[in-house]
Amino acid sequence: MEVADVPLDDKAKRMRDLLSSFYAPDPSLPSSPSKQASLDAINTSSFDPDQYMNLLVQKSNLEGLLQRHVEMAAEIKNLDTDLQMLVYENYNKFISATDTIKRMKSNIVGMEVNMEQLLHKIMSVQSRSDGVNTSLFEKREHIEKLHRTRNLLRKVQFIYDLPARLGKCIKSEAYADAVRFYTGAMPIFKVYGDSSFQDCKRASEEAIAVITKNLQGKLFSDSESIQARAEAAVLLKQLDFPVDSLQAKLLEKLEQSLEDLQLNMEDISCASVDSSDPSEQRNMSTTPPITAHEASVREFAEAIRAYRVIFPDSDDQLTKLAKHLVTKHLQTTEQYVRNRIGSADLLRVLRIIWTDVLLMDDVIHEAVMGDYCLETARVVVKEYIANTFSHLLHDISDTLTKSRIDQKDGLEKDSLQVALEASKKKVLQGSMDVLLDFRQLLDDELELLVKLKDWIVDWVQEGFQDFFRKLDDRFLLLSGRNNSSNHDQVLAGLVLVLAQLSLFIEQTAIPRITEEIAASFSGGGIRGSEYGPAFVPGEICRMFRSTGEKFLHLYIKMRTQRVSVLLKKRFNTPNWIKHKEPREVHMFVDLFLHELEAIRNEVKQILPEGLRKHRRTDSNGSTNSSRSNPLREEKLSRSNTQRARSQLLETHLAKLFKQKVEIFTKVEFNQESVVSMIVKLGLKSLQEFVRLQTFNRSGFQQIQLDIQFLRNPSKEIVEDEAAIDFLLDEVIVAAAERCLDPIPLEPPILDKLIQAKLAKTREQNPTSQ
């Protein structure tokens, strides 16, 4: 059972170690370093049992010693079992070897006699063979003489049949065979052409003249392929035709054929299966299918090869042609890259180009086409990376623009939240997709991309740095911050979305992108250390943090201006000197609260909740209302002649004894902070509008009633209740300062009017109870 509990791998390793130690020439050498390390070097020859026991006693308690005893007992038993099996196996091998040796001894007996008999038979065969060779020698000489005569007759017959053969080749257009036949007969014509074979020579030259004319026609025929024209030129040269005069014309034909080798999208889509899909590769044959483009390029390469054979001094012209082919391919790719393509499509294009480069390089080694292609491909890959970032920037801008249109049209209730989530996804997931796209370029084994790996790493890092700078500029453009005249045309909700999106980029997107770049795009350094790092996430985070704060303040400003317009209409419309006695809370309060509620609903879609902090003070603090201040009520109840003189002094004395209240605090990225700031600024604007008017008693009482009604709703919206009380008190004090007869409403009347307004509100909105 103990042996069965040991895993098979460990058991096999232990068996191998035992055999190694058994057959090792030097027993002092350790058999398995990994095993010694796991067993505290107990199997080595330098093992010290006393030191081992002392160390074990010092480091282990009684329970540990017992456990070690059990483990060692099990190991001893396993070792005994293994040694026993080893002995049995070796014993069986020794028995088998002994039996084999016995059989060999029995089989060798009698072999020497057989070998002598075999030698005798071989000698007999050799003597008989010598006799046969001697008897057939004369006949063999005669046969060889007849064979030479037959070959000579065949040559003579070939010369007589040559005109007819050439005529058949002309009819079948087998010009290569005709040239081969004629060049083969030329040595005979040079020796015997003027005597024995004069007629054959004349007829053959007439046929060759026809063939030369036909080859010249094929050489300059537009309907013939490049390969066929190249073969015609080679045949003409074999016939000693002066082809140097044809060099310029043939080169012009090559240039014309080069214009037809355009890299079109059909060739790209029909390219061979990508090497990253092994399942499809297994289904393909050993040789991948050749596309029409590759076949054309191969034909062009063979034509160049033939041209080099015909005109050995034309390397410079052919090199120029080959480079022009690569340049045309990369220009076509550059136009293709301007469209929205993925890295897989770009890889297919580069593979096609690199295949063409290798074909050209195989024909023209001196052109060094690989280096030339590398220099031009750098421009294409760099532009692809830049265009990818440009498309991502365009997608994010489109998402934000669509949210602005939806917000204008009111197509969706939570359009701001939808726009924010879509923008977050587009920024983060879009960036991850871009990195994954670029990672395919790095992981591909194409030799061209392997050489550009460090460049790609630098371009990706520089691209992200430049992308986020442009994204920040695009945010400013969408918000209208760069042009103050566009503020009225830009929806405030979009500005709030931009503020929260900037914070998301700083806190979430940049760290994620930085991690991915560090994991997959580290290295580079081609740009040089003097320029500093290509990607600086700290700088981007600071930039978007600043931009987010600007957008948040811009949103508060825009919403505050809208509230100020509402308040301005309220205070500029009536004649406050002739205001009638207040009978109810003015409708502007409903409009004001409705605007605040709309702002709060808008902010809820975008910003997270914050901690509500209700700051209240005692009777000396700024949270006391104007009607609960005994000093102010006593002053307001004096006679009209004394009140006008003492009201200003009373107000300033009350301010001196008020507790200092921090009204305008730093705006945070949460709902309560933003709404509180807008309400505070709105109440401050309300105070300033009050100071610009002059009120009679009824007008002052109307302001008192409206402000008193605003207290509770405002405190439900704003987290800083102390500041709200202070600002509302300031509005009443300002109204009292600008009032000709500042006698406030009696508390019972004030409460009655407020309760009537609340009852009316509940009747109109029963669901809000």
Side-chain angles (χ1 to χ4, degrees):
M1 292 298 293
E2 293 177 353
V3 175
D5 293 337
V6 179
L8 182 59
D9 292 341
D10 294 341
K11 186 175 180 180
K13 289 179 181 179
R14 186 167 59 252
M15 180 65 71
R16 185 168 58 252
D17 294 340
L18 287 173
L19 290 172
S20 177
S21 62
F22 183 81
Y23 290 105
D26 188 359
S28 62
L29 294 176
S31 60
S32 176
S34 60
K35 194 69 179 176
Q36 294 169 9
S38 62
L39 296 178
D40 294 330
I42 196 172
N43 291 330
T44 62
S45 59
S46 60
F47 173 68
D48 189 352
D50 295 333
Q51 184 180 0
Y52 178 78
M53 285 301 300
N54 293 333
L55 183 62
L56 187 63
V57 170
Q58 290 176 1
K59 293 186 176 182
S60 304
N61 53 17
L62 181 59
E63 184 178 354
L65 292 173
L66 292 175
Q67 180 66 25
R68 183 58 182 160
H69 169 72
V70 173
E71 295 175 355
M72 189 171 293
E75 292 177 0
I76 292 172
K77 185 176 294 185
N78 292 334
L79 290 173
D80 292 340
T81 303
D82 294 339
L83 287 174
Q84 186 177 6
M85 293 175 60
L86 181 62
V87 171
Y88 288 161
E89 290 178 0
N90 288 335
Y91 182 72
N92 292 332
K93 292 178 182 178
F94 292 152
I95 294 175
S96 177
T98 303
D99 295 341
T100 303
I101 292 172
K102 289 181 180 179
R103 286 196 299 271
M104 289 178 62
K105 288 182 178 181
S106 61
N107 292 334
I108 288 175
V109 176
M111 184 176 293
E112 185 176 356
V113 177
N114 295 333
M115 292 298 293
E116 292 178 355
Q117 295 176 357
L118 178 62
L119 178 61
H120 177 72
K121 291 180 180 180
I122 291 175
M123 295 299 293
S124 175
V125 170
Q126 184 178 1
S127 61
R128 291 174 183 266
S129 176
D130 294 340
V132 171
N133 289 336
T134 302
S135 62
L136 297 178
F137 176 75
E138 295 180 356
K139 294 181 180 180
R140 184 183 298 109
E141 289 291 332
H142 183 65
I143 291 172
E144 290 180 356
K145 183 178 180 181
L146 293 176
H147 180 70
R148 287 193 295 270
T149 304
R150 181 172 176 271
N151 289 339
L152 180 60
L153 292 175
R154 282 183 176 180
K155 292 179 180 179
V156 173
Q157 186 65 38
F158 176 79
I159 296 297
Y160 282 112
D161 293 342
L162 182 60
R165 288 174 180 267
L166 294 178
K168 292 180 180 179
C169 290
I170 293 173
K171 292 180 180 180
S172 61
E173 296 185 355
Y175 300 123
D177 293 338
V179 172
R180 180 167 54 85
F181 294 154
Y182 182 74
T183 54
M186 283 299 295
I188 298 178
F189 282 150
K190 288 181 179 180
V191 178
Y192 305 103
D194 295 333
S195 57
S196 303
F197 304 107
Q198 184 176 5
D199 295 337
C200 294
K201 179 182 179 182
R202 184 174 59 255
S204 300
E205 288 177 348
E206 292 176 355
I208 288 299
V210 175
I211 291 173
T212 302
K213 183 179 180 180
N214 293 343
L215 288 176
Q216 290 182 21
K218 179 177 288 190
L219 181 64
F220 298 107
S221 176
D222 294 332
S223 60
E224 296 293 337
S225 64
I226 299 176
Q227 186 67 24
R229 293 199 294 268
E231 290 177 357
V234 172
L235 294 177
L236 287 173
K237 191 173 183 179
Q238 291 177 1
L239 293 175
D240 296 331
F241 187 84
V243 295
D244 293 341
S245 61
L246 307 177
Q247 182 175 1
K249 295 182 179 180
L250 186 58
L251 183 63
E252 184 179 354
K253 291 288 185 180
L254 287 175
E255 292 175 351
Q256 293 177 358
S257 63
L258 180 62
E259 298 298 327
D260 299 332
L261 292 178
Q262 286 286 351
L263 186 65
N264 52 48
M265 298 304 104
E266 294 180 357
D267 296 323
I268 297 172
S269 60
C270 297
S272 59
V273 180
D274 186 66
S275 60
S276 61
D277 192 350
S279 61
E280 296 189 17
Q281 278 190 345
R282 286 192 294 268
N283 296 331
M284 294 173 58
S285 59
T286 305
T287 303
I290 299 177
T291 62
H293 171 79
E294 186 177 354
S296 300
V297 174
R298 287 179 182 272
E299 184 178 357
F300 180 75
E302 291 301 324
I304 290 181
R305 190 192 303 276
Y307 193 94
R308 288 192 70 190
V309 174
I310 301 171
F311 309 109
D313 57 344
S314 60
D315 289 346
D316 294 339
Q317 297 172 331
L318 296 179
T319 298
K320 185 178 179 181
L321 279 179
K323 289 184 177 180
H324 183 57
L325 172 64
V326 176
T327 303
K328 281 185 55 180
H329 283 355
L330 291 174
Q331 289 176 351
T332 304
T333 306
E334 195 171 354
Q335 296 176 357
Y336 181 51
V337 162
R338 292 192 181 100
N339 301 324
R340 191 156 196 172
I341 64 171
S343 60
D345 296 329
L346 179 63
L347 287 173
R348 282 194 289 269
V349 176
L350 293 178
R351 286 194 186 95
I352 293 175
I353 295 176
W354 188 247
T355 301
D356 295 349
V357 168
L358 294 179
L359 288 174
M360 293 294 103
D361 195 59
D362 185 57
V363 176
I364 312 175
H365 305 285
E366 298 80 4
V368 194
M369 296 298 298
D371 295 340
Y372 178 77
C373 179
L374 179 65
E375 293 298 323
T376 51
R378 280 175 50 192
V379 180
V380 175
V381 176
K382 184 177 182 179
E383 184 173 355
Y384 167 74
I385 294 174
N387 286 337
T388 302
F389 283 115
S390 178
H391 290 312
L392 178 59
L393 180 64
H394 183 71
D395 290 344
I396 298 172
S397 180
D398 285 348
T399 303
L400 294 171
T401 304
K402 183 178 181 300
S403 70
R404 180 169 61 182
I405 296 174
D406 293 344
Q407 190 181 2
K408 283 183 179 179
D409 299 339
L411 298 178
E412 195 171 348
K413 180 179 178 182
D414 299 329
S415 60
L416 291 181
Q417 184 178 2
V418 173
L420 177 62
E421 295 302 324
S423 301
K424 286 181 178 180
K425 182 179 180 181
K426 188 64 67 175
V427 171
L428 184 57
Q429 189 60 43
S431 299
M432 293 296 106
D433 293 342
V434 164
L435 286 172
L436 182 61
D437 209 42
F438 296 154
R439 180 63 185 272
Q440 293 182 11
L441 297 180
L442 289 182
D443 293 342
D444 197 272
E445 296 180 357
L446 185 65
E447 184 179 355
L448 182 65
L449 292 175
V450 172
K451 295 179 179 179
L452 291 175
K453 181 175 181 180
D454 290 337
W455 289 99
I456 293 174
V457 170
D458 280 350
W459 291 335
V460 170
Q461 294 184 9
E462 292 175 1
F464 264 111
Q465 189 78 10
D466 186 60
F467 163 73
F468 281 112
R469 288 188 184 131
K470 291 181 179 179
L471 184 61
D472 183 71
D473 294 338
R474 185 63 60 89
F475 283 1
L476 293 176
L477 181 64
L478 290 174
S479 68
R481 186 173 177 85
N482 291 337
N483 187 359
S484 59
S485 62
N486 292 334
H487 282 177
D488 296 337
Q489 302 176 5
V490 179
L491 295 176
L494 176 61
V495 176
L496 188 61
V497 170
L498 292 175
Q500 187 63 18
L501 183 59
S502 299
L503 186 67
F504 170 79
I505 292 174
E506 179 221 350
Q507 296 181 351
T508 304
I510 297 300
R512 284 282 306 278
I513 294 172
T514 303
E515 292 177 0
E516 185 64 25
I517 289 178
S520 304
F521 294 89
S522 58
I526 299 297
R527 54 184 267 128
S529 58
E530 64 273 11
Y531 298 102
F535 181 64
V536 186
E539 177 184 341
I540 299 175
C541 289
R542 289 190 297 271
M543 178 175 61
F544 277 95
R545 180 68 181 183
S546 175
T547 301
E549 292 176 352
K550 292 176 183 177
F551 286 149
L552 199 61
H553 287 92
L554 179 60
Y555 172 77
I556 294 173
K557 178 182 177 181
M558 296 172 69
R559 282 308 186 191
T560 304
Q561 288 176 349
R562 183 179 176 88
V563 173
S564 298
V565 171
L566 175 65
L567 297 175
K568 184 177 181 180
K569 291 180 180 179
R570 163 62 180 142
F571 284 94
N572 291 343
T573 302
N575 186 353
W576 292 99
I577 301 296
K578 299 179 181 181
H579 200 281
K580 296 181 180 181
E581 182 179 353
R583 298 182 180 275
E584 63 177 355
V585 178
H586 195 272
M587 63 176 298
F588 108 90
V589 176
D590 294 333
L591 296 177
F592 180 73
L593 292 176
H594 178 74
E595 185 67 25
L596 294 182
E597 186 64 25
I599 293 173
R600 187 167 68 169
N601 292 334
E602 193 174 61
V603 171
K604 280 183 178 180
Q605 297 183 50
I606 303 300
L607 298 179
E609 294 183 358
L611 298 176
R612 295 187 62 86
K613 303 175 183 178
H614 301 281
R615 297 195 292 268
R616 289 190 173 274
T617 60
D618 295 334
S619 58
N620 292 333
S622 63
T623 59
N624 296 325
S625 65
S626 60
R627 70 182 181 89
S628 64
N629 191 331
L631 178 60
R632 185 177 294 110
E633 289 183 1
E634 180 181 356
K635 292 293 182 181
L636 293 177
S637 63
R638 293 178 181 178
S639 62
N640 292 336
T641 58
Q642 295 177 347
R643 182 173 56 252
R645 184 179 299 173
S646 62
Q647 183 65 44
L648 186 58
L649 178 61
E650 179 267 336
T651 301
H652 287 288
L653 288 174
K655 287 183 178 180
L656 291 176
F657 290 99
K658 282 180 179 290
Q659 180 180 356
K660 184 178 180 181
V661 177
E662 186 180 5
I663 299 176
F664 300 106
T665 58
K666 181 180 179 181
V667 183
E668 303 292 340
F669 281 85
N670 58 66
Q671 301 172 14
E672 288 75 13
S673 179
V674 173
V675 175
S676 298
M677 183 58 66
I678 295 175
V679 174
K680 291 174 184 179
L681 292 174
L683 294 179
K684 195 66 178 176
S685 299
L686 176 60
Q687 179 185 356
E688 297 301 323
F689 284 124
V690 168
R691 288 177 176 173
L692 297 176
Q693 303 296 331
T694 303
F695 304 91
N696 61 1
R697 180 193 300 176
S698 299
F700 169 70
Q701 291 175 351
Q702 182 67 55
I703 296 298
Q704 180 191 7
L705 174 61
D706 294 343
I707 295 302
Q708 188 61 30
F709 181 79
L710 278 174
R711 289 185 183 276
N712 289 334
S714 299
K715 294 174 184 178
E716 293 178 357
I717 297 175
V718 179
E719 65 171 2
D720 194 351
E721 298 181 4
I724 295 300
D725 281 334
F726 177 80
L727 291 172
L728 291 175
D729 289 343
E730 287 291 304
V731 174
I732 295 178
V733 171
E737 292 175 353
R738 299 294 299 170
C739 181
L740 301 176
D741 187 16
I743 298 178
L745 286 172
E746 295 295 331
I749 299 176
L750 188 64
D751 293 338
K752 180 178 179 181
L753 293 176
I754 291 175
Q755 292 300 324
K757 177 64 176 177
L758 294 174
K760 183 178 179 181
T761 303
R762 284 193 292 269
E763 292 177 359
Q764 294 177 352
N765 301 311
T767 58
S768 62
Q769 296 181 3

